[in-house]
Amino acid sequence: MTDGKRTPWVVGVSGASGTPYAASVLRGLLAAGESVDLVVSRASRLTLLDETGIAFRDAHWRDDLGEWLARGADGKPGTFARPDLGDVRYWGAGDLAAGPSSGSYPVKGMLIVPASTACVAGVALGLSKDLLQRAASVMLKERRRLVVAVRETPLNGQTLKHLVTLDEAGAVVLPASPAFYAGATHIQDLVDFVAGRVLDAAGVPHRLYRRWEGELGGSRPRES
């Protein structure tokens, strides 16, 4: 909050595989007491349905989001307690008159997680074909924080050029690439590592993963 005014993070969810990454980032932001403006692309609804079985509906977005955030990375319902969504605002992907479409709308920055190659291309080229791309373009023109968690492999030359363009424009390009030094024992640990790195890039405090402390084997359990 700034001067009593709500100043959210915009979270954009594109159609790439990796909706558990988005859920973990959202839980992390809410746990840190951050306000969130959520944009879910049309393509991401298909991915969300495929990966979780949840049909994300505009008219029932709060119920659907609560169910989504309560699921673990393995799709198991009730893994997490439903968070308080009182400071979450949802904008339809086709609403180009939405708050985040304007540079005068106060936000802290934007996190695109996961970011598809189509989304990356659209932002790099300034297409603004939907609210997600337009909001990202606003972040760049206003010199605000933009983190792009690209989720695709392998990457072709054109996408690599688009990622370089975003980097040169000031965005943080963050591949959804989990590490193993944090002692992961479950798929959720790997997901939380990537989500934690996204929050690190945004400067949002969290406890999603065990940080490197300069000790080899520090993540392994101690032998008695």
Side-chain angles (χ1 to χ4, degrees):
M1 307 290 281
T2 303
D3 298 330
K5 296 182 180 179
R6 181 178 180 274
T7 310
W9 284 97
V10 180
V11 176
V13 186
S14 81
S17 176
T19 55
Y21 292 130
S24 184
V25 166
L26 288 165
R27 285 193 297 265
L29 288 171
L30 296 175
E34 299 285 348
S35 303
V36 172
D37 275 22
L38 178 64
V39 182
V40 178
S41 77
R42 289 188 175 91
S44 70
R45 295 169 189 246
L46 297 176
T47 308
L48 184 63
L49 180 63
D50 185 56
E51 294 182 346
T52 69
I54 295 173
F56 196 90
R57 303 159 294 174
D58 285 347
H60 303 280
W61 70 266
R62 195 174 295 275
D63 289 337
D64 297 337
L65 178 60
E67 182 182 354
W68 177 21
L69 298 189
R71 295 200 178 206
D74 58 2
K76 183 179 179 181
T79 300
F80 299 95
R82 289 199 178 203
D84 181 2
L85 302 178
D87 209 5
V88 177
R89 188 169 185 178
Y90 171 73
W91 301 95
D95 185 3
L96 291 177
S101 69
S102 172
S104 65
Y105 183 77
V107 301
K108 292 182 177 179
M110 182 175 186
L111 315 175
I112 304 178
V113 54
S116 66
T117 54
C119 173
V120 166
V123 177
L125 296 173
L127 298 182
S128 295
K129 74 178 186 64
D130 61 10
L131 179 59
L132 196 159
Q133 291 184 14
R134 170 58 186 171
S137 294
V138 169
M139 298 305 117
L140 295 178
K141 80 181 185 69
E142 299 292 332
R143 301 298 189 265
R144 294 171 181 161
R145 191 78 59 94
L146 174 63
V147 182
V148 180
V150 60
R151 216 306 309 163
E152 183 63 90
T153 190
L155 296 171
N156 64 32
Q158 199 61 49
T159 297
L160 291 170
K161 291 176 184 177
H162 291 151
L163 292 173
V164 170
T165 296
L166 291 179
D167 176 77
E168 291 175 342
V172 175
V173 175
L174 195 153
S177 177
F180 295 85
Y181 62 76
T185 60
H186 188 274
I187 185 175
Q188 188 67 54
D189 299 322
L190 298 176
V191 167
D192 286 347
F193 179 88
V194 171
R197 296 298 288 150
V198 171
L199 296 178
D200 286 345
V204 176
H206 66 88
R207 299 181 65 183
L208 287 175
Y209 70 88
R210 183 184 304 179
R211 297 185 181 277
W212 175 252
E213 296 180 347
E215 180 184 357
L216 291 176
S219 65
R220 293 195 295 269
R222 302 287 186 182
E223 295 183 3
S224 57

